[in-house]
């Protein structure tokens, strides 16, 4: 029962262009959403988050969009840089709970 | 902020042996989590402590798994009678309740367990 899905296992983008990573969820009780980035041999690193009361949050080159009616989350990276090449995980949590539920991840490759 | 530290980084063991992993969270963080990640999947929640109290355990955590955080600082995760299906990356994370309920988790670099 996969409550959080990242349907694209991989994505390749040219340096300087926009990278868009997508995530879909099924449980309307999820109220807090996060994106993590993971390099090989390292643990996931927190990138950006958004609460369900918002539909957009921006931090530098990273913007997260939340569409609650579609139960869809996306991460935009612009402009994409070679150092952005990593696996990206979306994660979410039910209100009041501490347990994070992660998607399967999308491997992003930025080509020079 | 020295980050979350996990030891060992790698562990190879034979089926049936017991293994123990250690996690040292960020010093002022009072919440500590264990996750497991297998190839091609995202991290899966195992258990969570607030200070020394274990407040939630996943159904994934069979009776062969036990986690402790005796003094509310470091934590250990023990797996008894290991099975090949236990092979995975075991991730520890911590967060601070003082930064609110939506404080993001900070992960360590994990312990990779291989059961032969």
């Amino acid at each position: 029962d996969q409550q959080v899905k990242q349907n694209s296992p991989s994505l390749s983008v040219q340096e300087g262009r926009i990278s868009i990573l997508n995530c879909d969820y099924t449980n309307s009780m999820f109220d807090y959403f996060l994106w993590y980035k993971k390099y090989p041999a390292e643990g996931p690193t927190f990138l950006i988050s958004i609460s369900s009361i918002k539909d957009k949050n921006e931090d530098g080159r990273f913007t997260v969009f939340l569409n609650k009616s579609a139960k869809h989350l996306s991460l935009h990276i612009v402009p994409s840089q070679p150092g952005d090449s990593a696996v990206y995980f979306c994660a979410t949590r039910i209100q009041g709970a501490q347990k994070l539920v992660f998607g399967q991840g999308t491997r992003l490759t930025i080509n020079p | 902020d020295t980050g979350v530290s996990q030891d060992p980084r790698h562990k190879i063991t034979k089926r049936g042996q017991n293994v123990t992993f250690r996690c040292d969270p960020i010093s002022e963080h009072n919440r500590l989590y264990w996750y497991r990640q297998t190839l091609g999947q995202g991290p899966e929640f195992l258990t969570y402590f607030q200070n020394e109290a274990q407040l939630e355990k996943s159904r994934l955590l069979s009776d062969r798994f036990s986690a402790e955080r005796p003094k509310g600082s470091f934590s250990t995760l023990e797996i008894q009678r290991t099975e090949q299906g236990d092979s995975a990356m075991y991730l520890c994370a911590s967060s601070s309740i003082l930064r609110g309920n939506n404080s993001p988790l900070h992960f360590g670099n994990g312990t990779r367990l291989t059961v032969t």
Side-chain angles (χ1 to χ4, degrees):
Chain A
D1 177 20
Q2 193 73 30
Q3 296 189 72
V4 182
K5 286 187 180 177
Q6 293 177 253
N7 290 317
S8 298
S10 63
L11 176 66
S12 188
V13 173
Q14 195 167 3
E15 183 179 358
R17 299 288 185 104
I18 184 170
S19 295
I20 300 176
L21 297 126
N22 295 303
C23 179
D24 296 297
Y25 60 95
T26 57
N27 192 336
S28 57
M29 297 295 290
F30 290 140
D31 78 332
Y32 182 59
F33 304 86
L34 309 92
W35 284 95
Y36 280 83
K37 171 178 169 178
K38 186 179 184 304
Y39 293 120
E42 294 184 11
T45 302
F46 169 72
L47 261 181
I48 192 168
S49 63
I50 187 167
S51 164
S52 61
I53 62 174
K54 294 186 173 182
D55 53 21
K56 177 182 172 181
N57 189 26
E58 198 169 346
D59 183 2
R61 296 186 298 115
F62 302 93
T63 304
V64 56
F65 295 92
L66 176 63
N67 183 333
K68 290 185 288 295
S69 60
K71 295 190 178 67
H72 181 80
L73 183 74
S74 64
L75 175 69
H76 292 208
I77 306 172
V78 58
S80 300
Q81 298 174 354
D84 296 330
S85 295
V87 178
Y88 288 78
F89 294 97
C90 64
T92 182
R93 174 161 64 203
I94 288 175
Q95 184 179 17
Q98 286 301 312
K99 164 187 168 181
L100 281 181
V101 181
F102 283 82
Q104 308 96 308
T106 296
R107 181 177 300 279
L108 174 65
T109 302
I110 305 302
N111 302 308
Chain B
D1 179 353
T2 57
V4 177
S5 175
Q6 291 189 247
D7 184 67
R9 289 298 307 274
H10 304 275
K11 179 71 178 178
I12 300 173
T13 191
K14 291 186 177 177
R15 190 177 54 181
Q17 298 294 305
N18 299 346
V19 293
T20 300
F21 310 140
R22 177 180 169 122
C23 171
D24 288 89
I26 293 170
S27 58
E28 67 269 21
H29 286 186
N30 47 9
R31 287 180 170 154
L32 186 146
Y33 311 77
W34 285 99
Y35 283 78
R36 180 173 69 187
Q37 185 178 14
T38 53
L39 199 62
Q41 300 298 315
E44 294 176 292
F45 172 81
L46 293 178
T47 190
Y48 143 64
F49 291 84
Q50 184 162 307
N51 300 313
E52 64 275 10
Q54 189 173 20
L55 296 186
E56 189 174 351
K57 288 171 63 172
S58 165
R59 287 171 294 175
L60 291 175
L61 215 64
S62 77
D63 56 4
R64 295 185 298 105
F65 287 70
S66 63
E68 294 183 345
R69 194 183 184 198
K71 296 180 181 177
S73 57
F74 74 92
S75 175
T76 57
L77 178 68
E78 181 183 17
I79 309 174
Q80 295 182 330
R81 306 180 302 283
T82 52
E83 301 172 356
Q84 287 186 322
D86 297 332
S87 296
M89 175 72 82
Y90 289 84
L91 292 162
C92 177
S94 68
S95 69
S96 172
I97 193 174
L98 296 177
R99 297 193 179 183
N101 244 3
N102 287 341
S103 172
L105 274 59
H106 297 260
F107 282 88
N109 289 332
T111 293
R112 179 166 295 286
L113 173 66
T114 303
V115 181
T116 61

